[in-house]
Coordinates of all heavy atoms in Angstrom, one line a residue:
M6 N -6.9 4.8 4.0 CA -6.1 5.2 5.1 C -5.5 3.9 5.7 O -6.1 2.9 5.7 CB -6.9 5.9 6.1 CG -6.1 6.4 7.3 SD -5.8 8.1 7.0 CE -4.7 8.5 8.4
K7 N -4.2 4.0 6.2 CA -3.6 2.9 6.8 C -3.7 3.0 8.3 O -3.6 4.2 8.8 CB -2.1 2.8 6.3 CG -2.0 2.4 4.8 CD -0.6 2.3 4.4 CE -0.7 1.9 2.9 NZ 0.2 2.6 2.1
Y8 N -3.8 1.9 9.0 CA -3.8 1.8 10.4 C -3.1 0.7 11.0 O -2.8 -0.3 10.4 CB -5.3 1.6 10.9 CG -6.3 2.7 10.6 CD1 -6.9 2.9 9.4 CD2 -6.6 3.6 11.7 CE1 -7.8 3.9 9.2 CE2 -7.6 4.5 11.4 CZ -8.1 4.7 10.2 OH -9.0 5.7 10.0
I9 N -2.6 1.0 12.3 CA -2.1 -0.1 13.1 C -3.3 -0.5 14.0 O -3.9 0.3 14.6 CB -0.9 0.3 14.0 CG1 0.3 0.7 13.2 CG2 -0.5 -0.8 14.9 CD1 1.5 1.2 14.0
C10 N -3.6 -1.8 13.9 CA -4.7 -2.3 14.8 C -4.0 -3.1 15.9 O -3.5 -4.2 15.7 CB -5.6 -3.2 14.0 SG -6.9 -3.9 14.9
Y11 N -3.9 -2.5 17.1 CA -3.5 -3.2 18.3 C -4.6 -4.1 18.9 O -5.7 -3.7 18.9 CB -3.0 -2.3 19.3 CG -1.8 -1.4 19.0 CD1 -1.9 -0.1 18.4 CD2 -0.5 -1.9 19.0 CE1 -0.8 0.6 18.1 CE2 0.6 -1.2 18.7 CZ 0.5 0.1 18.2 OH 1.5 0.9 17.8
Y12 N -4.2 -5.2 19.4 CA -5.1 -6.1 20.0 C -4.5 -6.6 21.3 O -3.3 -6.7 21.5 CB -5.5 -7.3 19.1 CG -4.4 -8.3 18.9 CD1 -4.2 -9.3 19.8 CD2 -3.6 -8.1 17.8 CE1 -3.2 -10.2 19.6 CE2 -2.5 -9.1 17.6 CZ -2.3 -10.1 18.5 OH -1.3 -10.9 18.4
E13 N -5.5 -7.0 22.2 CA -5.1 -7.6 23.5 C -6.3 -8.5 23.9 O -7.4 -8.1 23.7 CB -4.8 -6.5 24.5 CG -4.4 -7.0 25.8 CD -4.0 -5.8 26.7 OE1 -4.0 -4.6 26.3 OE2 -3.9 -6.0 27.9
F14 N -5.9 -9.6 24.5 CA -7.0 -10.5 25.1 C -6.4 -11.2 26.3 O -5.2 -11.3 26.5 CB -7.5 -11.5 24.0 CG -6.5 -12.4 23.5 CD1 -6.3 -13.7 24.0 CD2 -5.7 -12.1 22.4 CE1 -5.3 -14.6 23.5 CE2 -4.8 -13.0 21.8 CZ -4.6 -14.2 22.4
K15 N -7.4 -11.8 27.1 CA -6.9 -12.5 28.3 C -6.4 -13.9 27.9 O -7.0 -14.5 27.0 CB -8.2 -12.6 29.2 CG -8.8 -11.3 29.7 CD -10.0 -11.6 30.5 CE -10.7 -10.3 30.8 NZ -12.0 -10.5 31.4
P16 N -5.3 -14.2 28.6 CA -4.7 -15.6 28.2 C -5.8 -16.8 28.3 O -5.6 -17.6 27.5 CB -3.6 -15.7 29.3 CG -3.3 -14.4 29.8 CD -4.6 -13.6 29.6
E17 N -6.7 -16.6 29.2 CA -7.7 -17.7 29.3 C -8.6 -17.8 28.2 O -9.4 -18.8 28.0 CB -8.4 -17.7 30.7 CG -9.2 -16.4 30.9 CD -8.5 -15.3 31.6 OE1 -7.2 -15.3 31.6 OE2 -9.2 -14.4 32.2
D18 N -8.7 -16.7 27.3 CA -9.5 -16.7 26.2 C -8.8 -17.2 24.9 O -9.5 -17.2 23.8 CB -10.0 -15.3 25.9 CG -11.1 -14.9 26.9 OD1 -11.7 -15.8 27.5 OD2 -11.3 -13.7 27.1
L19 N -7.6 -17.7 25.0 CA -6.9 -18.1 23.8 C -7.6 -19.1 22.9 O -7.7 -19.0 21.7 CB -5.5 -18.6 24.1 CG -4.6 -19.1 23.0 CD1 -4.3 -17.9 22.0 CD2 -3.3 -19.6 23.5
D20 N -8.2 -20.1 23.5 CA -8.8 -21.2 22.7 C -10.1 -20.6 22.0 O -10.5 -21.1 21.0 CB -9.3 -22.3 23.6 CG -8.1 -23.2 24.0 OD1 -7.1 -23.2 23.3 OD2 -8.1 -23.8 25.1
K21 N -10.7 -19.5 22.5 CA -11.8 -18.9 21.9 C -11.4 -18.0 20.8 O -12.1 -17.8 19.7 CB -12.6 -18.1 22.9 CG -13.3 -18.9 24.0 CD -14.0 -18.1 25.0 CE -14.5 -18.9 26.2 NZ -15.0 -18.0 27.2
V22 N -10.2 -17.4 20.9 CA -9.7 -16.4 20.0 C -9.1 -17.0 18.7 O -9.4 -16.5 17.6 CB -8.6 -15.4 20.6 CG1 -8.0 -14.6 19.6 CG2 -9.3 -14.6 21.7
I23 N -8.5 -18.2 18.9 CA -7.9 -18.9 17.7 C -8.9 -19.1 16.5 O -8.6 -18.7 15.4 CB -7.2 -20.2 18.1 CG1 -6.0 -19.9 18.9 CG2 -6.9 -21.0 16.9 CD1 -5.4 -21.0 19.6
P24 N -10.1 -19.6 16.7 CA -11.0 -19.8 15.5 C -11.4 -18.4 14.9 O -11.6 -18.4 13.7 CB -12.2 -20.6 16.0 CG -12.0 -20.7 17.5 CD -10.6 -20.3 17.9
L25 N -11.6 -17.4 15.8 CA -11.9 -16.1 15.2 C -10.8 -15.5 14.4 O -11.0 -14.9 13.4 CB -12.3 -15.1 16.4 CG -13.6 -15.5 17.2 CD1 -13.7 -14.5 18.4 CD2 -14.7 -15.4 16.4
F26 N -9.6 -15.7 14.9 CA -8.4 -15.3 14.1 C -8.3 -16.0 12.8 O -8.1 -15.4 11.7 CB -7.2 -15.5 15.0 CG -5.9 -15.3 14.2 CD1 -5.4 -14.1 13.9 CD2 -5.2 -16.4 13.7 CE1 -4.3 -13.9 13.1 CE2 -4.0 -16.3 13.1 CZ -3.5 -15.0 12.7
Q27 N -8.5 -17.3 12.8 CA -8.5 -18.1 11.6 C -9.6 -17.6 10.5 O -9.3 -17.5 9.3 CB -8.6 -19.6 11.9 CG -7.4 -20.1 12.6 CD -7.7 -21.6 13.1 OE1 -8.7 -21.9 13.5 NE2 -6.6 -22.3 13.1
K28 N -10.8 -17.3 11.0 CA -11.8 -16.8 10.2 C -11.5 -15.4 9.6 O -11.7 -15.1 8.5 CB -13.1 -16.8 11.0 CG -14.3 -16.3 10.1 CD -14.6 -17.2 8.9 CE -15.8 -16.7 8.1 NZ -16.0 -17.6 6.9
M29 N -10.9 -14.6 10.5 CA -10.5 -13.2 10.0 C -9.5 -13.3 8.9 O -9.5 -12.4 8.0 CB -10.0 -12.4 11.2 CG -9.7 -10.9 10.8 SD -11.0 -10.1 10.0 CE -12.2 -9.9 11.2
I30 N -8.6 -14.2 8.9 CA -7.6 -14.4 7.8 C -8.4 -14.5 6.5 O -8.0 -13.9 5.5 CB -6.7 -15.6 8.1 CG1 -5.8 -15.4 9.3 CG2 -5.8 -15.9 6.8 CD1 -4.8 -14.3 9.2
E31 N -9.5 -15.3 6.5 CA -10.3 -15.4 5.3 C -11.0 -14.2 4.9 O -11.2 -13.9 3.7 CB -11.3 -16.6 5.4 CG -10.8 -17.9 5.8 CD -11.8 -18.9 6.1 OE1 -13.0 -18.7 5.8 OE2 -11.5 -19.9 6.7
L32 N -11.4 -13.4 5.9 CA -12.3 -12.2 5.7 C -11.4 -10.9 5.3 O -12.0 -10.1 4.6 CB -13.0 -11.8 6.9 CG -14.1 -12.9 7.3 CD1 -14.7 -12.5 8.7 CD2 -15.2 -12.9 6.2
R33 N -10.1 -10.9 5.6 CA -9.4 -9.7 5.2 C -9.5 -9.3 3.7 O -9.3 -10.1 2.9 CB -7.8 -10.0 5.5 CG -7.5 -10.1 6.9 CD -6.0 -10.4 7.0 NE -5.5 -10.2 8.3 CZ -4.2 -10.3 8.6 NH1 -3.3 -10.3 7.7 NH2 -3.8 -10.2 9.9
G34 N -9.8 -8.1 3.5 CA -9.9 -7.6 2.2 C -11.2 -7.9 1.5 O -11.4 -7.4 0.4
K35 N -12.0 -8.8 2.0 CA -13.3 -9.0 1.4 C -14.2 -7.9 1.7 O -14.0 -7.1 2.6 CB -13.9 -10.3 2.1 CG -13.0 -11.6 1.7 CD -13.9 -12.6 1.0 CE -13.0 -13.7 0.4 NZ -12.6 -14.8 1.1
P36 N -15.3 -7.7 0.9 CA -16.2 -6.6 1.1 C -16.7 -6.5 2.6 O -17.0 -7.5 3.3 CB -17.4 -7.0 0.3 CG -16.9 -7.8 -0.8 CD -15.8 -8.6 -0.2
G37 N -16.5 -5.3 3.2 CA -16.9 -5.0 4.5 C -15.8 -5.2 5.6 O -16.0 -4.9 6.7
Y38 N -14.6 -5.7 5.1 CA -13.5 -5.9 6.1 C -12.2 -5.2 5.6 O -12.0 -5.0 4.4 CB -13.3 -7.4 6.3 CG -14.4 -8.0 7.0 CD1 -15.5 -8.6 6.3 CD2 -14.4 -8.1 8.4 CE1 -16.6 -9.2 7.0 CE2 -15.5 -8.7 9.0 CZ -16.5 -9.2 8.4 OH -17.6 -9.7 9.0
P39 N -11.4 -4.8 6.5 CA -10.2 -4.1 6.1 C -9.2 -5.0 5.5 O -9.2 -6.2 5.8 CB -9.6 -3.6 7.5 CG -10.2 -4.4 8.6 CD -11.5 -4.9 8.0
K40 N -8.4 -4.5 4.6 CA -7.4 -5.3 4.0 C -6.1 -5.4 4.8 O -5.5 -4.3 5.1 CB -7.0 -4.7 2.6 CG -5.9 -5.4 1.8 CD -5.6 -4.6 0.5 CE -4.5 -5.3 -0.2 NZ -4.0 -4.5 -1.3
G41 N -5.7 -6.6 5.1 CA -4.4 -6.8 5.9 C -3.2 -6.5 5.0 O -3.1 -7.0 3.9
I42 N -2.4 -5.6 5.4 CA -1.1 -5.4 4.7 C 0.1 -5.9 5.3 O 1.2 -5.5 4.9 CB -1.1 -3.9 4.2 CG1 -1.2 -3.0 5.5 CG2 -2.2 -3.5 3.3 CD1 -0.9 -1.5 5.1
S43 N -0.1 -6.6 6.4 CA 1.0 -7.2 7.1 C 0.5 -8.5 7.8 O -0.7 -8.6 7.9 CB 1.7 -6.3 8.1 OG 0.9 -6.3 9.4
P44 N 1.4 -9.4 8.2 CA 1.0 -10.5 9.0 C 0.4 -9.9 10.4 O 0.6 -8.8 10.7 CB 2.2 -11.3 9.3 CG 3.2 -10.8 8.2 CD 2.8 -9.4 8.0
T45 N -0.2 -10.8 11.1 CA -0.6 -10.4 12.5 C 0.6 -10.8 13.4 O 1.0 -11.9 13.4 CB -1.9 -11.1 12.9 OG1 -3.0 -10.7 12.1 CG2 -2.2 -10.8 14.4
Y46 N 1.1 -9.8 14.1 CA 2.3 -10.0 14.9 C 1.8 -10.1 16.4 O 0.9 -9.4 16.8 CB 3.3 -8.8 14.8 CG 3.9 -8.8 13.5 CD1 3.5 -7.9 12.5 CD2 5.0 -9.7 13.2 CE1 4.1 -7.9 11.2 CE2 5.6 -9.7 11.9 CZ 5.2 -8.7 11.0 OH 5.8 -8.7 9.7
A47 N 2.5 -10.9 17.2 CA 2.3 -11.0 18.6 C 3.5 -10.5 19.3 O 4.6 -10.7 18.8 CB 1.9 -12.4 19.0
F48 N 3.3 -9.8 20.5 CA 4.4 -9.4 21.3 C 4.9 -10.7 22.0 O 4.0 -11.4 22.6 CB 4.1 -8.2 22.2 CG 3.7 -7.0 21.5 CD1 2.5 -6.5 21.7 CD2 4.6 -6.4 20.6 CE1 2.1 -5.3 21.0 CE2 4.2 -5.2 20.0 CZ 3.0 -4.7 20.2
A49 N 6.1 -11.1 21.9 CA 6.6 -12.4 22.4 C 6.2 -12.5 23.9 O 6.4 -11.6 24.7 CB 8.1 -12.4 22.4
G50 N 5.6 -13.7 24.2 CA 5.3 -14.0 25.6 C 4.0 -13.2 26.1 O 3.7 -13.3 27.3
E51 N 3.3 -12.6 25.2 CA 2.1 -11.8 25.6 C 0.9 -12.2 24.7 O 1.1 -12.8 23.7 CB 2.3 -10.3 25.5 CG 3.5 -9.8 26.3 CD 3.7 -8.3 26.2 OE1 2.7 -7.6 25.8 OE2 4.8 -7.8 26.4
T52 N -0.3 -11.9 25.2 CA -1.5 -12.1 24.4 C -2.0 -10.8 23.8 O -3.1 -10.4 24.0 CB -2.6 -12.8 25.2 OG1 -2.8 -12.0 26.4 CG2 -2.2 -14.2 25.6
S53 N -1.0 -10.1 23.1 CA -1.3 -8.9 22.5 C -0.3 -8.7 21.3 O 0.6 -9.4 21.3 CB -1.1 -7.7 23.5 OG 0.2 -7.7 24.0
G54 N -0.6 -7.8 20.5 CA 0.2 -7.6 19.3 C -0.5 -6.6 18.3 O -1.3 -5.8 18.8
F55 N -0.2 -6.7 17.1 CA -0.8 -5.7 16.1 C -0.8 -6.3 14.7 O -0.1 -7.3 14.3 CB 0.0 -4.5 16.1 CG 1.4 -4.6 15.6 CD1 1.7 -4.3 14.3 CD2 2.5 -4.9 16.5 CE1 3.0 -4.4 13.8 CE2 3.7 -5.1 16.0 CZ 4.0 -4.8 14.6
T56 N -1.6 -5.7 13.8 CA -1.6 -5.9 12.4 C -1.8 -4.6 11.7 O -2.3 -3.6 12.2 CB -2.8 -6.8 12.0 OG1 -2.9 -7.9 12.8 CG2 -2.9 -7.1 10.6
L57 N -1.1 -4.4 10.5 CA -1.3 -3.3 9.7 C -2.4 -3.5 8.7 O -2.5 -4.6 8.1 CB 0.0 -2.9 8.9 CG 1.2 -2.7 9.8 CD1 2.4 -2.4 8.8 CD2 1.0 -1.6 10.7
Y58 N -3.3 -2.5 8.6 CA -4.5 -2.7 7.8 C -4.6 -1.4 6.9 O -4.3 -0.3 7.3 CB -5.8 -2.8 8.6 CG -6.1 -4.2 9.2 CD1 -5.8 -4.3 10.5 CD2 -6.5 -5.2 8.4 CE1 -6.0 -5.6 11.1 CE2 -6.7 -6.5 9.0 CZ -6.5 -6.6 10.3 OH -6.8 -7.8 10.9
E59 N -5.2 -1.6 5.7 CA -5.7 -0.5 4.9 C -7.2 -0.5 4.9 O -7.9 -1.6 4.7 CB -5.2 -0.7 3.4 CG -5.5 0.5 2.6 CD -4.6 0.5 1.3 OE1 -3.5 -0.1 1.3 OE2 -5.1 1.0 0.3
V60 N -7.8 0.7 5.3 CA -9.2 0.7 5.5 C -9.8 1.8 4.5 O -9.3 2.9 4.4 CB -9.5 1.2 7.0 CG1 -10.9 1.5 7.2 CG2 -8.9 0.2 7.9
D61 N -10.9 1.4 3.8 CA -11.5 2.2 2.9 C -12.7 3.1 3.5 O -12.9 4.2 3.1 CB -12.1 1.4 1.7 CG -11.0 0.8 0.9 OD1 -9.9 1.3 0.8 OD2 -11.3 -0.3 0.3
D62 N -13.4 2.4 4.5 CA -14.4 3.2 5.2 C -14.5 2.6 6.6 O -14.0 1.5 6.9 CB -15.7 3.2 4.5 CG -16.4 1.8 4.5 OD1 -16.7 1.3 5.6 OD2 -16.7 1.3 3.5
Q63 N -15.0 3.4 7.5 CA -15.0 3.1 8.9 C -15.9 1.8 9.2 O -15.6 1.1 10.3 CB -15.4 4.2 9.8 CG -14.3 5.3 9.8 CD -14.5 6.3 10.9 OE1 -15.5 6.2 11.7 NE2 -13.6 7.2 11.0
Q64 N -16.8 1.5 8.4 CA -17.6 0.3 8.6 C -16.8 -0.9 8.6 O -17.1 -1.9 9.4 CB -18.7 0.2 7.5 CG -19.7 -0.9 7.8 CD -20.5 -0.7 9.0 OE1 -21.0 0.4 9.3 NE2 -20.6 -1.8 9.9
Q65 N -15.7 -0.9 7.9 CA -14.8 -2.1 7.9 C -14.2 -2.3 9.4 O -14.1 -3.4 9.8 CB -13.6 -1.9 6.9 CG -14.1 -1.9 5.5 CD -13.0 -1.5 4.5 OE1 -12.1 -0.8 4.8 NE2 -13.1 -2.1 3.3
M66 N -13.8 -1.2 10.0 CA -13.2 -1.3 11.3 C -14.3 -1.8 12.3 O -14.1 -2.6 13.2 CB -12.7 0.0 11.7 CG -11.4 0.4 11.0 SD -10.5 1.9 11.6 CE -11.7 3.1 11.4
I67 N -15.6 -1.3 12.1 CA -16.6 -1.7 12.9 C -16.9 -3.2 12.8 O -17.0 -4.0 13.8 CB -17.9 -0.9 12.7 CG1 -17.7 0.6 13.1 CG2 -19.1 -1.5 13.4 CD1 -18.8 1.5 12.5
N68 N -16.9 -3.7 11.5 CA -17.2 -5.1 11.3 C -16.1 -5.9 11.9 O -16.3 -7.0 12.5 CB -17.3 -5.4 9.8 CG -18.5 -4.8 9.2 OD1 -19.4 -4.4 9.9 ND2 -18.5 -4.7 7.9
H69 N -14.8 -5.5 11.8 CA -13.7 -6.2 12.4 C -13.8 -6.2 13.9 O -13.7 -7.3 14.5 CB -12.4 -5.4 12.0 CG -11.1 -6.0 12.5 ND1 -10.7 -5.7 13.8 CD2 -10.3 -6.9 12.0 CE1 -9.6 -6.4 14.0 NE2 -9.3 -7.1 12.9
Y70 N -14.2 -5.1 14.5 CA -14.4 -5.1 16.0 C -15.5 -6.0 16.4 O -15.3 -6.9 17.4 CB -14.7 -3.7 16.4 CG -15.1 -3.6 17.9 CD1 -14.2 -3.6 18.9 CD2 -16.5 -3.5 18.2 CE1 -14.6 -3.6 20.2 CE2 -16.9 -3.5 19.5 CZ -15.9 -3.5 20.5 OH -16.3 -3.5 21.9
I71 N -16.6 -6.0 15.7 CA -17.8 -6.9 16.1 C -17.4 -8.4 15.9 O -17.8 -9.2 16.7 CB -19.0 -6.5 15.2 CG1 -19.5 -5.1 15.5 CG2 -20.1 -7.6 15.4 CD1 -20.0 -4.9 16.9
H72 N -16.6 -8.7 14.9 CA -16.1 -10.1 14.7 C -15.4 -10.6 16.0 O -15.6 -11.8 16.4 CB -15.1 -10.1 13.6 CG -14.6 -11.5 13.3 ND1 -15.3 -12.5 12.7 CD2 -13.3 -12.0 13.6 CE1 -14.5 -13.5 12.6 NE2 -13.4 -13.3 13.2
Y73 N -14.7 -9.8 16.7 CA -13.9 -10.3 17.8 C -14.6 -9.9 19.2 O -14.1 -10.4 20.2 CB -12.5 -9.6 17.9 CG -11.6 -10.2 16.9 CD1 -11.1 -9.5 15.7 CD2 -11.1 -11.5 17.0 CE1 -10.3 -10.1 14.8 CE2 -10.2 -12.0 16.1 CZ -9.8 -11.4 15.0 OH -8.9 -11.9 14.1
H74 N -15.6 -9.2 19.2 CA -16.2 -8.7 20.4 C -16.9 -9.9 21.1 O -17.5 -10.7 20.5 CB -17.3 -7.7 20.0 CG -18.0 -7.1 21.3 ND1 -17.4 -6.2 22.1 CD2 -19.3 -7.3 21.8 CE1 -18.3 -6.0 23.1 NE2 -19.4 -6.6 22.9
P75 N -16.8 -10.0 22.4 CA -16.2 -9.1 23.4 C -14.8 -9.6 23.8 O -14.3 -9.2 24.9 CB -17.1 -9.2 24.6 CG -17.6 -10.7 24.5 CD -17.7 -11.1 23.1
L76 N -14.2 -10.5 23.1 CA -12.9 -11.2 23.6 C -11.7 -10.3 23.4 O -10.7 -10.4 24.2 CB -12.7 -12.4 22.8 CG -13.7 -13.5 23.0 CD1 -13.6 -14.7 22.1 CD2 -13.8 -13.9 24.4
L77 N -11.6 -9.5 22.3 CA -10.5 -8.6 22.1 C -10.7 -7.2 22.4 O -11.7 -6.6 22.1 CB -10.0 -8.7 20.7 CG -8.9 -9.7 20.3 CD1 -9.3 -11.1 20.6 CD2 -8.5 -9.5 18.9
K78 N -9.7 -6.6 23.1 CA -9.6 -5.1 23.2 C -8.8 -4.7 22.0 O -7.7 -5.1 21.7 CB -8.9 -4.7 24.5 CG -8.7 -3.2 24.6 CD -7.9 -2.8 25.8 CE -7.7 -1.3 25.7 NZ -6.8 -0.9 26.8
I79 N -9.4 -3.8 21.2 CA -8.9 -3.4 19.9 C -8.7 -1.9 19.9 O -9.6 -1.1 20.2 CB -9.7 -3.8 18.7 CG1 -9.7 -5.3 18.7 CG2 -9.3 -3.2 17.4 CD1 -10.7 -5.9 17.6
T80 N -7.5 -1.4 19.4 CA -7.3 0.0 19.3 C -6.7 0.3 17.9 O -5.8 -0.4 17.4 CB -6.2 0.5 20.3 OG1 -6.7 0.1 21.6 CG2 -6.0 2.0 20.2
W81 N -7.4 1.2 17.2 CA -7.0 1.6 15.8 C -6.2 2.8 15.8 O -6.7 3.8 16.4 CB -8.1 1.7 14.9 CG -8.9 0.4 14.7 CD1 -9.9 -0.1 15.4 CD2 -8.7 -0.4 13.5 NE1 -10.4 -1.2 14.9 CE2 -9.6 -1.5 13.7 CE3 -7.9 -0.5 12.5 CZ2 -9.8 -2.6 12.8 CZ3 -8.0 -1.5 11.6 CH2 -8.9 -2.6 11.7
K82 N -5.0 2.9 15.3 CA -4.2 4.1 15.2 C -3.9 4.4 13.7 O -3.3 3.6 13.1 CB -2.9 4.0 15.9 CG -3.0 3.7 17.4 CD -3.2 5.0 18.2 CE -3.2 4.8 19.7 NZ -3.3 6.0 20.4
P83 N -4.3 5.6 13.2 CA -3.9 5.9 11.8 C -2.4 6.1 11.7 O -1.8 6.7 12.6 CB -4.8 7.2 11.6 CG -5.1 7.8 12.9 CD -5.1 6.6 13.9
I84 N -1.9 5.7 10.6 CA -0.4 6.0 10.3 C -0.3 6.6 8.9 O -1.1 6.4 8.0 CB 0.3 4.7 10.4 CG1 -0.2 3.6 9.4 CG2 0.3 4.2 11.9 CD1 0.6 2.3 9.4
V85 N 0.8 7.4 8.8 CA 1.1 8.0 7.5 C 2.6 7.8 7.3 O 3.3 7.7 8.3 CB 0.8 9.5 7.5 CG1 -0.7 9.7 7.6 CG2 1.5 10.3 8.5
E86 N 3.1 7.8 6.1 CA 4.4 7.7 5.8 C 5.1 9.0 6.2 O 4.6 10.1 6.0 CB 4.7 7.4 4.3 CG 4.2 6.0 3.8 CD 4.6 5.8 2.4 OE1 5.7 6.1 2.0 OE2 3.8 5.2 1.7
S87 N 6.3 8.9 6.8 CA 7.1 10.0 7.3 C 7.4 11.0 6.1 O 7.4 12.2 6.3 CB 8.4 9.6 7.9 OG 8.0 8.9 9.1
T88 N 7.7 10.5 4.9 CA 8.0 11.4 3.8 C 6.7 12.3 3.4 O 6.9 13.4 3.1 CB 8.4 10.6 2.6 OG1 7.4 9.6 2.3 CG2 9.7 9.9 2.7
D89 N 5.5 11.7 3.6 CA 4.4 12.5 3.3 C 4.2 13.6 4.4 O 3.9 14.8 4.1 CB 3.1 11.7 3.3 CG 3.0 10.7 2.1 OD1 3.8 11.0 1.1 OD2 2.3 9.7 2.2
F90 N 4.4 13.2 5.7 CA 4.3 14.1 6.7 C 5.3 15.3 6.5 O 5.0 16.5 6.6 CB 4.5 13.5 8.1 CG 4.6 14.4 9.3 CD1 3.5 14.9 9.8 CD2 5.8 14.9 9.7 CE1 3.5 15.8 10.9 CE2 5.9 15.7 10.8 CZ 4.7 16.2 11.4
V91 N 6.5 15.0 6.3 CA 7.6 16.0 6.1 C 7.3 16.9 4.9 O 7.4 18.2 5.0 CB 9.0 15.4 5.9 CG1 10.0 16.3 5.5 CG2 9.4 14.6 7.2
A92 N 6.9 16.4 3.8 CA 6.5 17.2 2.6 C 5.4 18.2 2.9 O 5.4 19.4 2.6 CB 6.2 16.3 1.5
T93 N 4.4 17.7 3.6 CA 3.2 18.5 4.0 C 3.7 19.6 5.0 O 3.2 20.8 4.9 CB 2.1 17.6 4.6 OG1 1.7 16.7 3.7 CG2 0.9 18.5 5.0
Y94 N 4.5 19.2 5.9 CA 5.0 20.2 6.9 C 5.8 21.3 6.3 O 5.6 22.5 6.5 CB 5.8 19.5 8.0 CG 6.5 20.5 8.9 CD1 5.7 21.1 9.9 CD2 7.8 20.7 8.8 CE1 6.4 22.0 10.8 CE2 8.4 21.6 9.6 CZ 7.7 22.3 10.7 OH 8.3 23.2 11.5
L95 N 6.7 20.9 5.3 CA 7.5 21.9 4.7 C 6.7 22.8 3.8 O 7.0 24.0 3.7 CB 8.6 21.2 3.9 CG 9.7 20.5 4.7 CD1 10.7 19.8 3.8 CD2 10.5 21.5 5.6
K96 N 5.7 22.2 3.1 CA 4.8 23.0 2.3 C 4.0 24.1 3.1 O 3.8 25.2 2.7 CB 3.9 22.1 1.5 CG 3.0 22.8 0.5 CD 2.1 21.8 -0.2 CE 1.2 22.4 -1.2 NZ 0.4 21.4 -1.9
S97 N 3.6 23.6 4.3 CA 2.8 24.6 5.2 C 3.7 25.7 5.7 O 3.2 26.8 5.9 CB 2.2 23.8 6.3 OG 3.2 23.5 7.2
K98 N 5.0 25.5 5.8 CA 5.9 26.5 6.3 C 6.0 27.7 5.2 O 6.4 28.8 5.6 CB 7.2 26.0 6.6 CG 7.2 25.2 8.0 CD 8.5 24.8 8.4 CE 9.4 26.0 8.7 NZ 10.7 25.6 9.3
K99 N 5.9 27.3 3.9 CA 6.1 28.3 2.9 C 5.0 29.3 2.7 O 5.1 30.3 2.1 CB 6.3 27.5 1.5 CG 7.6 26.8 1.5 CD 7.7 26.0 0.2 CE 9.0 25.2 0.1 NZ 9.1 24.5 -1.2
K100 N 3.8 29.0 3.4 CA 2.7 29.9 3.2 C 2.8 31.2 4.0 O 3.5 31.4 4.9 CB 1.4 29.2 3.7 CG 1.0 28.1 2.8 CD -0.3 27.4 3.3 CE -0.6 26.3 2.3 NZ -1.9 25.6 2.7

């Protein structure tokens, strides 16, 4: 399943977050961690942003969360391709 992982942290924690971020780049896609399918984006001028991930099991999300705890507030949102959604919706209407 694909997810958008939103993150947010306090500006005063930036120096603590940077080494964790650098380590997570190495861990992406390794056993126990979600596979990054996009760069990590930041919202301009803010200490928040998002990354797109592919997740095989929920333990990967838990490991990711624990890696950054307690510095980052993290929110995972599942995403699907619109073409899949439309096809499923149209198929359900035919029943």
Side-chain angles (χ1 to χ4, degrees):
M6 181 99 187
K7 292 181 178 134
Y8 289 83
I9 297 177
C10 178
Y11 293 99
Y12 68 88
E13 183 177 349
F14 60 93
K15 296 176 187 172
E17 60 267 22
D18 289 336
L19 179 58
D20 288 333
K21 295 176 188 171
V22 171
I23 289 172
L25 294 174
F26 169 75
Q27 291 170 325
K28 181 63 179 175
M29 184 52 68
I30 296 296
E31 297 173 21
L32 294 173
R33 285 180 175 191
K35 297 238 164 91
Y38 291 90
K40 177 183 175 188
I42 55 175
S43 79
T45 296
Y46 293 99
F48 298 121
E51 299 181 25
T52 54
S53 60
F55 68 93
T56 307
L57 301 179
Y58 283 104
E59 193 163 326
V60 176
D61 295 328
D62 70 60
Q63 290 197 358
Q64 186 63 47
Q65 293 173 331
M66 292 189 296
I67 293 167
N68 292 344
H69 181 275
Y70 172 78
I71 295 298
H72 177 80
Y73 285 111
H74 182 76
L76 298 173
L77 262 62
K78 176 184 175 189
I79 296 174
T80 305
W81 294 87
K82 298 277 186 174
I84 56 175
V85 295
E86 290 186 42
S87 295
T88 53
D89 293 340
F90 174 82
V91 169
T93 302
Y94 173 75
L95 293 174
K96 187 176 177 181
S97 74
K98 285 185 68 171
K99 292 179 182 179
K100 291 181 180 181

